[in-house]
Amino acid sequence: MKIPVIHGYIERRILINFTADPVDIEKILPYPFRPKIFKNKAIVGICLIRLKDIKPKGLPDFLGINSENGAHRIAVEWDENGKIKSGVYIPRRDTSLPLNTWVGGRIFPGKHYLAKFNINEQEGNYHIDFKSSDDTEISIDAYETDIFNNNSIFETIENASCFFEKGDLGYSPNKDKFDGLRLNAYQWKVKPLNVLDVKSSFFEDEKIFPKGSVQFDNALLMTNIEHEWLSEPTIGDN
């Protein structure tokens, strides 16, 4: 799958990050991916991103589209041409925009589920929840802070920022192949969020993840980031 360079603005991006048992994550990852391990833990999470003025690069902003989106992510590694590559595997994507559900998996990488988003953001406080067409639900209540979670496996925001910046290449399943998409952020700047409550029916599904095997670790916020989406070679494409 090859798309033109897509340009736009990340108005708001929240990365909600969890640690997980690598054995459980290995069971749900397709070949050739394996969990990327940090201090003996797999790192999984949710990206809640509001995109603005999204359109092929070179077109004026007023032709762009806006949307709220959610993506479940797993930090992964894989072998390619004798080298170890790293990025994220994205088992599911959710969106507020019906157009995305049509182009996802056809023109744009990854099937997208249509979801109803409920957003309340004011004075550094954030409430976001959505329910998708297959009843997958996410919710988070958080507020901006200058203090990174001191219980995080990453210990400092600099360590966390470095880890997630390297996850700019994402692969989404498309039948028996995996479509690649790289996020080129013109600047990379994150700040911590203090999370009051977070729920994910995906990570709380005990049929996939044994109770207690996925634990909240930290949350990061990015705002007003100009960026591009770049197509990457498909894995499994002959």
Side-chain angles (χ1 to χ4, degrees):
M1 181 175 291
K2 183 73 174 178
I3 62 171
V5 176
I6 302 297
H7 175 269
Y9 302 87
I10 296 171
E11 203 164 46
R12 181 261 298 132
R13 186 187 193 207
I14 293 175
L15 294 175
I16 312 168
N17 306 307
F18 304 80
T19 61
D21 187 330
V23 174
D24 297 322
I25 301 304
E26 285 174 357
K27 294 176 182 178
I28 65 172
L29 282 176
Y31 178 84
F33 303 111
R34 59 182 179 269
K36 183 176 181 178
I37 305 301
F38 188 89
K39 294 185 178 179
N40 299 317
K41 291 290 186 178
I43 307 298
V44 303
I46 306 160
C47 173
L48 297 173
I49 187 169
R50 181 164 61 242
L51 298 174
K52 181 181 178 182
D53 298 334
I54 300 299
K55 75 286 178 187
K57 187 176 182 178
L59 295 181
D61 286 347
F62 73 84
L63 292 177
I65 57 175
N66 307 329
S67 63
E68 288 281 355
N69 305 274
H72 285 76
R73 301 151 39 97
I74 301 171
V76 294
E77 295 180 335
W78 65 96
D79 298 317
E80 186 176 309
N81 298 323
K83 297 181 179 180
I84 297 176
K85 297 294 187 71
S86 65
V88 292
Y89 175 70
I90 304 169
R92 68 169 294 131
R93 295 178 181 270
D94 299 273
T95 182
S96 66
L97 189 66
L99 175 64
N100 287 348
T101 67
W102 186 84
V103 300
R106 295 183 177 92
I107 300 172
F108 197 82
K111 177 181 178 180
H112 288 60
Y113 293 86
L114 187 62
K116 182 177 181 180
F117 282 75
N118 177 36
I119 312 293
N120 186 359
E121 301 173 1
Q122 52 184 339
E123 298 180 353
N125 293 279
Y126 296 84
H127 171 84
I128 303 172
D129 68 69
F130 72 75
K131 185 172 184 178
S132 198
S133 55
D134 66 346
D135 292 333
T136 295
E137 296 183 84
I138 299 293
S139 70
I140 183 173
D141 288 281
Y143 60 88
E144 294 181 31
T145 179
D146 294 326
I147 302 172
F148 185 66
N149 181 12
N150 58 14
N151 293 317
S152 169
I153 195 173
F154 294 99
E155 297 183 350
T156 69
I157 192 169
E158 290 79 14
N159 291 339
S161 177
C162 181
F163 182 91
F164 293 107
E165 185 175 9
K166 293 177 180 177
D168 61 344
L169 174 55
Y171 277 96
S172 301
N174 186 357
K175 299 179 182 178
D176 59 346
K177 302 173 183 177
F178 304 99
D179 295 327
L181 192 66
R182 187 180 298 275
L183 170 62
N184 176 27
Y186 288 13
Q187 62 172 331
W188 182 269
K189 186 177 181 180
V190 301
K191 49 188 171 183
L193 284 177
N194 188 32
V195 174
L196 301 173
D197 186 55
V198 60
K199 295 179 181 178
S200 162
S201 62
F202 181 81
F203 289 131
E204 293 169 6
D205 185 349
E206 294 182 13
K207 296 177 183 177
I208 305 174
F209 307 102
K211 187 174 182 179
S213 65
V214 177
Q215 296 287 331
F216 171 76
D217 187 84
N218 71 84
L220 303 173
L221 174 68
M222 302 174 72
T223 56
N224 301 317
I225 304 294
E226 189 173 0
H227 72 289
E228 297 172 353
W229 298 105
L230 309 172
S231 198
E232 290 285 337
T234 296
I235 290 180
D237 200 3
N238 296 320

